[in-house]
Each structure stands twice: as C-alpha cells, then as structure tokens.
Amino acid sequence: MGSGFMGKLSDVLGGFATKVNSLRYIMVIKNAFSALIPVIITGAFGTLFSAMVFDAENGLAKIEFLRFLAELKPIASSISYVTLSFLTIYAVFLIGIELAKLNKLKGVFPGIIAVMSYLSVTPTIYQFLSDDKNILVENVLAKQYTDTKGLFLGMIVAILSVELYSWLGRQKKLQIKMPDTVPANVSASFSALVPTIITIAVMATAGFVVKAITGMYAYDIIYYLVQRPLEGVVQGLPGILLLMLIAQIFWVIGIHGNQMIKPIREPLLLASIAVNTEAFESGKEIPNIITMPFWDMYMSIGGSGVTIGLLVAVFLVGKREDMREITKLSSAPGIFNINEPVIFGMPIMLNPILAIPFIITPLITGTIGYFATATGLAAKAVVMVPWPMPPIVNAYLATAGDLGAVVTQIVCIIVSILIYLPFVKISNTTQQKNS
C-alpha cells in the first residue's frame, strides 16, 4: 500500500519536475545565477578582508605594528563595490548569453543586447534633497538600478529583448548581405545591425510608454509589485520552510530538490546576502536574516536534510552493515556538504523510514537558526561563503567571526543527531526482521 502510494507520488512529481526543468527560462535563470556565484563570493571576501584585516577598530589593523593595513581598506571596498553593486548588470548579461545559446546564437553579443535593453528602460536622472532644495543630477545611473533591487526587471527585460532579437535575426528580409570578399566577422556585424536597432528601439519605447501611462518607471512597478513581496515571503520563516519542504519532497522521490527550487531561491537569497554584505561594508544595520549562507549554515549542514546528523547517528547506534559501510564512504564528502552518496546509497530516496527525519530535520534546524538570529544570539550572515565550506568554519566566516552563530550551528547539529537516532534504530529492527 505504502510503496504503491510512493510509486504514484514519484510518477506525478517526477513528471512535474521534468516539465519544470525543461522550461527554457527556468534553465536560463538557473545557469545564469550559477555563473554569478563567483562574483558574489569575490565581493563577499572583499568585505571579509575589509572587516577582519583592514578595519582599524575590529580587524588586524587595530594592532599597533599593523596600523598601515587600514590605509589599504579602499582596495577591499572597491572589490565589494564592483561585484555586489553591479550584480543586476552581470545577471542581465549572463541571462542574455544563456538564452542566446538556446536560440542557437553564437557569441556574447546577445548579452550586450540584453544590457542595452535594460539600460534603455532605466532612468538616467537622479533626484535628491539637499538643504531643502531638490537637486536633479543627469546622465547618472542610480545604484538601485545596478545592484540586486533591479534583478527581477533585469531578468524580464533580458528575456524579452533577446527573444525579440533572436526572432528578428531569423527574418531574411532584415539581413544585410555583404559581398563574399568582406571578412566573416564584419559580415556578421552588419547582419546583426537591423535586429539590434529594432530591438533597442522597441525596448526603449516600451519603457517610455510605461512611464507615460503609469507615471512610474518599469523598475518601480516590478520592484514594488513583484520583487519586494517575493523577498518578503522568503524573508519570513514560513516562506523559507515551505521552500525547503518542497525541495525535500523532491529529494525523497529521487529528484534533485535544490535544482527544482533554484530559480526561486537563487535570485532572492543571493540578493539578500549581497544586500547584507553592502550594509556591513558601509557600517549600516544588517537587514536580512534569511540569506544563501543562512540556508547552508542551518538548513543544509552536511548537505540537504542535514544528513550530518544521520551519519553520526549511524556511527552511534547503527547495526546494519550496509548502512555503516555507506556512512563510512559518505563521511568525507559529508564534511564538505556533499551528500548524494547518502541520499542514493543509504538510501533515503523512496525510504519511508529515513524520509521522515530527512524532511523534518532542516525545518526544525532552520527554525532554531531563525530564532537564534532574530533574538541576536547569532549574528546575521554578511559574507557569501562557498557551499562546500565545512560546518563550523562556514558559520564563523559567513558571520565575519561571530561565535554565537557557531554555537547555534553546533546546537543544530546535535538536534539533527537526536532526530535521526530513533529512525536509525527502527532501520536496525526492520533489517533484522527481514533477515
């Protein structure tokens, strides 16, 4: 009965997963944000060095003979600025290139089309109040259009503009034919000329029309009506727990859960850590509790399902030889948060006993991490740390050296062991009955 139900559930969710993963824009966004991670980590390490090395109050620069390090702080600040403050521009460029690949277009020019289109709908004036006077600065690009706040508009514009450019490029009437004696790269440039002009003209006109009709820029509409509400949902504990629950259910039926939620998780959680990093760099209050490092620190210790708890539980009370062998093989990868050997080898996949703690453990540890951070026992994450960074080390680095976060993560690991223990004991008895 149970296996029949699990089989049907697996078929239904498996079909759904296949359809979602084959959607072209889902693939494009996943690939683009995967390519963006080194940019975010580079910016985060710029901030980490700024705080822990070059800072005269809290870093190494406070030591008398290392005071000269404080003079080098602008280096770290510039690294943080050129990475995190231009994240939307890089995302737009990468989405343009990834979509062009699907449309069988070669080269990086579609990425430039996407960036030009995004900039064409973005205001180049900035108004601010100084000494009770409204000052208007022209020919500038305000930071909110290039950092993470413009991400959703950037994604939409990149997709629309590259699709339009690709379609126009297929229209034979619009192609300018050059003689065979003209070099291939020059000929290609001329064949792209008309589609480029039309695409940018259409996007710029669309931006103008939106402003004329609504009185608001496209950025304001998308940010306040779409991106901000979504950020609000994921910043709340129920929203992030729901996202994790969906991922865990897919894992249990043998589908990579993180890949399924990536198009939603990545833009929002990578944006929230970038915002925290910038706030930390500027000495402002850190706004976001839930970020990509939060997910890794408290909800994915040892990999999805906090399986570090399962490995320790098997070592403590496991009597089944097959489980103990898989645990031995999985321990080294598990330290670096790689747990496919456990999920598919133990297996947790389609295993009604181990599936229960696998689903509930990250929900409980995530709740612990959330309340520890909300109450100030643990600091908010300010540094994007690579996900394979081992536990304890990742909590320390992600929070720029906060011991409260380390202690919270240790508590989460202990809780995960206690949750998995009874289920490992049940697994022992089922094996004995079967044999």
Side-chain angles (χ1 to χ4, degrees), residues 297-310:
M297 284 158 51
Y298 301 126
M299 303 176 81
S300 192
I301 314 165
S304 296
V306 195
T307 48
I308 194 167
L310 173 59

Side-chain angles (χ1 to χ4, degrees), residues 323-337:
M323 285 178 74
R324 291 187 70 85
E325 282 303 312
I326 289 292
T327 301
K328 286 174 191 172
L329 291 170
S330 305
S331 294
I335 291 168
F336 298 97
N337 307 312

Side-chain angles (χ1 to χ4, degrees), residues 44 47-52 58 273 280 286 297 379-385 393-403 405-406:
T47 300
L48 195 64
F49 273 87
S50 180
M52 301 182 84
N58 303 307
I273 186 60
F280 182 70
I286 313 300
M297 284 158 51
K380 293 169 183 170
V382 292
V383 175
M384 177 65 192
V385 180
V393 179
N394 70 356
Y396 185 76
L397 289 178
T399 54
D402 181 65
L403 293 177
V406 172

